[in-house]
Amino acid sequence: MTTIDLCIKSTHVLNVFSQLFEPNILWINDGKIIATGESSTFHARRTLDYADQYIVPGFIDAHVHIESSLLTPSELAKVILPQGTTSIFTDPHEIANVAGANGIQSMIDDARQSLLDVYTMLPSSVPCTPFEDSGATLTAKELKPFYQNPTVRGLAEVMDYPAVSSNQPDMIAKLNDCLQAGRQIDGHGSGLSRHQLDVYRQHQISTDHEATTIQQIQERINEGFYVFLREGTVERDLENTVGAVNESNTNRFAFCTDDKLVDSLLNEGGINDCIRKAIQHGLRPETAYTMASFNAAQAHQTPFHRRPQSELPSGHRCLRRPI
């Protein structure tokens, strides 16, 4: 018999593969769920029986600009970890526009102080436009070394459609460097036609968070995008778009906040607010919680490594199965 760290029992454990709450037993070692169900193989040092309480994975914000919260990564963690968000995919576009590669590195370094899993998507357009007066210009050459860091998970929202469609060398180099590193590319399809979306997919851009209508979402789903339903401080699209989710396409959806001020996070919440509103608008809780966790991980092609339970804030049990 193998001794492991923890055993948790509950009559309501979310199975993200079947999208059902089920009675289950979770066997956890080194912060990971290594087995489920009855077992004569393992003996746990601690056993917790949560009876009728519900167990779901930690939430994931699929696309966020930390700078919009007016907080550093480690301070943002103090706000959103208690709300159930354990991972974020951040685009440090704003600080990169001011401080370039040093700004990106400072955000990565600060995030290490936190229990929040902060995954960086490298800013694709610094500056946003050629005529912008910014503090830095980041070419493919400056971005490429960041892929040596395992917390850097890809290229952030590609917003310069003309550079992609005209095969401008530096943009194509950014896309290729990301793909060669085995990472994923986020899109920014605001105002793009069906033909223009085709161009993005041809370059393996695989997500979008700019859809504001059900029609736009249907176009993106038909093109094979993952769609992040957005609910921020200014851009509040979830109510207008959640109706596009149904049982046949739910695996293509996740949630994001994009830009949310700290007072909005404190008063409303972040991804937990997305879940609550999605359920209020008709989604099954099982579907909403799966979108807020497993689907976001799938969209970003990211194998997560959960910290040991003893390191998590008191009262929180944010569990993940290796994927």
Side-chain angles (χ1 to χ4, degrees):
M1 183 173 291
T2 302
T3 300
I4 63 171
D5 297 333
L6 182 65
C7 172
I8 296 180
K9 302 177 181 180
S10 173
T11 54
H12 302 289
V13 178
L14 179 63
N15 184 333
V16 296
F17 305 107
S18 65
Q19 294 188 26
L20 295 172
F21 282 106
E22 303 169 342
N24 213 337
I25 301 172
L26 308 179
W27 301 93
I28 299 158
N29 202 48
D30 193 26
K32 297 179 182 178
I33 299 172
I34 60 172
T36 63
E38 296 284 352
S39 175
S40 59
T41 303
F42 302 114
H43 170 73
R45 296 183 181 91
R46 296 177 63 208
T47 297
L48 302 174
D49 191 341
Y50 284 112
D52 291 331
Q53 295 187 51
Y54 289 77
I55 295 179
V56 300
F59 310 149
I60 302 171
D61 194 330
H63 173 73
V64 61
H65 301 280
I66 293 176
E67 301 94 320
S68 295
S69 71
L70 308 180
L71 300 174
T72 61
S74 57
E75 290 300 312
L76 176 66
K78 296 176 184 178
V79 176
I80 63 176
L81 272 172
Q83 298 173 348
T85 296
T86 58
S87 303
I88 64 173
F89 287 84
T90 179
D91 172 8
H93 178 86
E94 285 82 355
I95 197 168
N97 265 289
V98 175
N102 288 336
I104 298 173
Q105 189 62 53
S106 71
M107 297 291 273
I108 293 174
D109 292 342
D110 181 82
R112 293 195 185 103
Q113 303 177 58
S114 167
L115 291 176
L116 181 70
D117 288 332
V118 179
Y119 297 96
T120 299
M121 306 295 286
L122 298 177
S124 60
S125 301
V126 176
C128 292
T129 59
F131 51 81
E132 187 175 85
D133 185 13
S134 65
T137 298
L138 291 180
T139 66
K141 181 178 180 181
E142 280 81 43
L143 293 179
K144 188 173 182 178
F146 281 103
Y147 289 116
Q148 298 174 23
N149 187 321
T151 66
V152 173
R153 297 308 307 168
L155 192 66
E157 51 179 327
V158 177
M159 61 186 74
D160 192 350
Y161 172 79
V164 177
S165 63
S166 62
N167 291 313
Q168 291 183 15
D170 189 64
M171 176 56 73
I172 298 305
K174 290 175 181 177
L175 299 175
N176 289 339
D177 287 345
C178 179
L179 295 172
Q180 288 172 7
R183 311 297 166 85
Q184 175 263 332
I185 307 172
D186 279 341
H188 179 105
S190 180
L192 296 191
S193 68
R194 183 73 177 265
H195 169 71
Q196 290 170 323
L197 292 172
D198 283 338
V199 173
Y200 265 26
R201 291 299 291 130
Q202 290 163 16
H203 287 85
Q204 299 187 51
I205 296 170
S206 58
T207 76
D208 185 61
H209 60 277
E210 292 290 340
T212 60
T213 68
I214 289 178
Q215 179 181 349
Q216 290 175 357
I217 285 181
Q218 289 173 337
E219 290 175 349
R220 284 151 178 77
I221 294 297
N222 289 340
E223 292 293 326
F225 286 90
Y226 283 95
V227 175
F228 302 152
L229 302 184
R230 176 174 57 188
E231 189 73 3
T233 295
V234 177
E235 300 94 346
R236 295 180 179 270
D237 301 318
L238 195 146
E239 182 177 353
N240 295 328
T241 56
V242 71
V245 183
N246 58 55
E247 291 304 313
S248 65
N249 65 17
T250 179
N251 65 316
R252 306 305 296 181
F253 290 93
F255 296 116
C256 77
T257 60
D258 198 1
D259 299 287
K260 201 156 191 179
L261 295 169
V262 64
D263 59 338
S264 298
L265 289 169
L266 289 169
N267 293 329
E268 303 170 3
I271 298 303
N272 58 323
D273 182 48
C274 293
I275 296 168
R276 181 168 50 248
K277 289 177 178 175
I279 293 172
Q280 289 172 352
H281 285 85
L283 282 193
R284 294 189 308 125
E286 297 90 336
T287 299
Y289 282 114
T290 299
M291 287 168 55
S293 55
F294 179 70
N295 287 8
Q298 292 293 96
H300 283 290
Q301 305 170 13
T302 299
F304 288 98
H305 302 282
R306 187 70 258 140
R307 292 182 175 85
Q309 292 295 311
S310 60
E311 296 184 18
L312 290 176
S314 176
H316 289 270
R317 292 292 178 260
C318 303
L319 310 175
R320 288 201 188 89
R321 220 188 152 91
I323 59 174

